[in-house]
Amino acid sequence: MTDHMLEAYINEHIAACKGDLVNFSWHGGEPLLAGTGFYRRVVEFQKKHNTLGRKITNGIQTNGTLINDEWGAFFAEHNFTVGISIDGPQELHDHYRRTVDDRDTHQSVMQGWKYLRKYTIPTDILCVVNDLNVMYPLQVYRYLKDIGGKYISFLPLVERSVSGSPQDVTERSVQPEAFGAFLCTIFDHWLKHDIGDVKIQVFEEATRTAFKQEHSLCLFRPVCGDIPVLERNGDLYFCDHFVDQQHLIGNITEHQLAELLESASLKALGAAKMNTLPQRCKTCEVLSMCNGECPKNRFVTVPGEDNSINYLCAGYKMFFNHCQPFVDSVAKQWHLQHTDRSQKKTGRNDLCPCGSGKKYKRCCLKL
């Protein structure tokens, strides 16, 4: 992205945001290839155009191989948060995450992780779950926890095959039932040993339904479209899963970003997620947790349905049903505390009402 385009985007992004908080998210490809100089200009442009003195945050997603002292110091100086991709211990991570000349990457990723720890950078671990590491749920989870991971997301790998049936996926894609079993196994271990100490995104999303909160992840919301992607030439697309002509919203050199974000075309594409929900989803017992997941994964046709179902349906249904008793228990206790005002509220040092046996401050108070 040229400096001219970068500054124009940052100015319009700040202007389009409502409220006192302005979030920027930097993705690639590999965004660190742009170099620290690029992001120093980002910070300069943000300061220049933040005329109302609002709080600006920056998050960046990286494979971690380029992180060094320079990057660590920069992230710390400018309060960046970082997402780093780690798919488990070395033998699992290196199976697919290799360099263009087929070298291992785990060692360089872990070196990057050490720099993030050295500079105390707030970091999320993103673990892509594929056909191999899905068979080793506790090995993957324990490894990520043992290296100091406190915020973990599990991203199922779903790649459409370029040959064969439109419903086919690549061999390295995760199988739905295997992914469901993966989450169930880790959930049971987490509930027994780590609740309140380690945050796992999909577990938090399921628990949000106990408090009747909106999902923070777009893929579980009834309607999507509020996380568009801007390409280097100023083109704004519906989201990074749909960067094609059909989902092009417009270009910020021709229209104000705020105008594009409120456009009828973007809202229609977002509403299509709910409007094309298969009938079996509408009557599903875990609909509030899933809402049909991401539209990019809705490509499996089944008899009697006008709309395709989600490839991962069986796996998510397995997991959400598995964790439902825990969510129900949390919901019950939360409801009692908020409907009976005469009841003594749970103190920080009291046992958590969810039944985990841990203190409230070390458990659901952190959710």
Side-chain angles (χ1 to χ4, degrees):
M1 184 177 287
T2 65
D3 283 359
H4 177 74
M5 180 65 72
L6 178 64
E7 182 172 10
Y9 159 61
I10 288 174
N11 182 30
E12 292 198 26
H13 184 125
I14 294 173
C17 288
K18 302 172 183 177
D20 296 326
L21 182 64
V22 182
N23 297 311
F24 285 85
S25 182
W26 305 97
H27 283 245
E30 173 48 54
L32 298 198
L33 286 170
T36 55
F38 175 84
Y39 294 99
R40 292 191 185 281
R41 294 193 295 278
V42 163
V43 173
E44 291 173 2
F45 291 146
Q46 289 174 342
K47 290 179 179 178
K48 177 180 176 180
H49 294 287
N50 186 21
T51 56
L52 297 180
R54 292 185 286 180
K55 181 178 180 180
I56 292 180
T57 66
N58 287 284
I60 196 165
Q61 179 64 40
T62 174
N63 63 31
T65 59
L66 299 178
I67 300 174
N68 53 21
D69 266 317
E70 181 184 9
W71 279 110
F74 172 81
F75 291 148
E77 179 184 0
H78 298 290
N79 301 310
F80 271 59
T81 60
V82 175
I84 187 171
S85 298
I86 306 175
D87 293 346
Q90 182 170 2
E91 61 274 17
L92 298 178
H93 177 95
D94 283 340
H95 188 71
Y96 287 126
R97 290 193 182 271
R98 311 191 65 77
T99 64
V100 293
D101 55 352
D102 200 33
R103 289 181 289 113
D104 295 348
T105 62
H106 184 266
Q107 184 175 351
S108 57
V109 173
M110 294 315 299
Q111 187 64 35
W113 171 255
K114 290 179 181 178
Y115 283 116
L116 293 174
R117 302 269 287 172
K118 173 183 176 181
Y119 288 94
T120 62
I121 308 301
T123 306
D124 296 343
I125 294 177
L126 190 152
C127 174
V128 174
V129 185
N130 52 57
D131 69 312
L132 178 62
N133 62 1
V134 73
M135 307 305 295
Y136 305 93
L138 291 185
Q139 291 92 323
V140 170
Y141 173 62
R142 285 171 176 157
Y143 178 79
L144 299 179
K145 183 179 68 171
D146 289 347
I147 65 173
K150 292 293 185 181
Y151 304 90
I152 303 171
S153 297
F154 293 114
L155 177 67
L157 179 62
V158 181
E159 292 179 323
R160 303 288 294 277
S161 176
V162 296
S163 61
S165 167
Q167 300 187 131
D168 287 347
V169 296
T170 61
E171 290 185 358
R172 66 181 187 176
S173 294
V174 70
Q175 292 297 308
E177 293 83 356
F179 181 59
F182 176 93
L183 293 179
C184 290
T185 300
I186 294 176
F187 178 81
D188 290 343
H189 183 89
W190 171 84
L191 190 59
K192 185 176 182 180
H193 301 285
D194 302 316
I195 185 172
D197 293 327
V198 179
K199 288 192 174 185
I200 300 179
Q201 193 174 47
V202 68
F203 300 171
E204 290 197 325
E205 289 298 319
T207 308
R208 292 178 77 87
T209 61
F211 309 108
K212 301 188 182 304
Q213 295 175 333
E214 181 183 39
H215 285 291
S216 60
L217 271 180
C218 60
L219 69 163
F220 293 137
R221 295 176 192 160
V223 173
C224 57
D226 60 347
I227 308 180
V229 59
L230 188 81
E231 291 293 304
R232 62 188 297 272
N233 65 346
D235 281 344
L236 186 79
Y237 290 89
F238 174 63
C239 88
D240 65 346
H241 296 305
F242 297 97
V243 181
D244 53 39
Q245 192 61 35
Q246 180 183 350
H247 296 89
L248 175 63
I249 307 303
N251 189 287
I252 63 170
T253 63
E254 301 170 356
H255 304 277
Q256 292 292 313
L257 179 59
E259 176 186 346
L260 295 175
L261 294 175
E262 295 297 326
S263 67
S265 58
L266 189 147
K267 293 184 181 299
L269 288 169
K273 176 180 180 178
M274 180 172 58
N275 295 336
T276 60
L277 200 65
Q279 186 59 36
R280 65 172 59 190
C281 291
K282 296 177 181 179
T283 58
C284 180
E285 66 274 15
V286 293
L287 174 62
S288 64
M289 292 183 176
C290 177
N291 286 301
E293 210 246 4
C294 183
K296 81 176 180 68
N297 293 328
R298 293 188 193 172
F299 54 82
V300 178
T301 58
V302 294
E305 284 283 5
D306 294 329
N307 298 307
S308 298
I309 68 169
N310 197 295
Y311 168 80
L312 294 166
C313 176
Y316 277 122
K317 192 169 186 177
M318 178 193 300
F319 167 66
F320 287 135
N321 274 306
H322 182 77
C323 71
Q324 188 70 64
F326 167 76
V327 175
D328 289 343
S329 175
V330 172
K332 180 180 179 180
Q333 294 298 328
W334 181 83
H335 179 74
L336 288 173
Q337 290 181 16
H338 287 76
T339 54
D340 185 1
R341 297 300 180 183
S342 63
Q343 178 178 324
K344 179 181 179 295
K345 291 186 177 180
T346 304
R348 289 174 53 83
N349 292 307
D350 293 338
L351 289 177
C352 188
C354 77
S356 67
K358 295 191 175 186
K359 290 184 178 181
Y360 183 46
K361 67 181 180 183
R362 301 288 293 174
C363 193
C364 289
L365 181 61
K366 288 190 172 185
L367 292 177

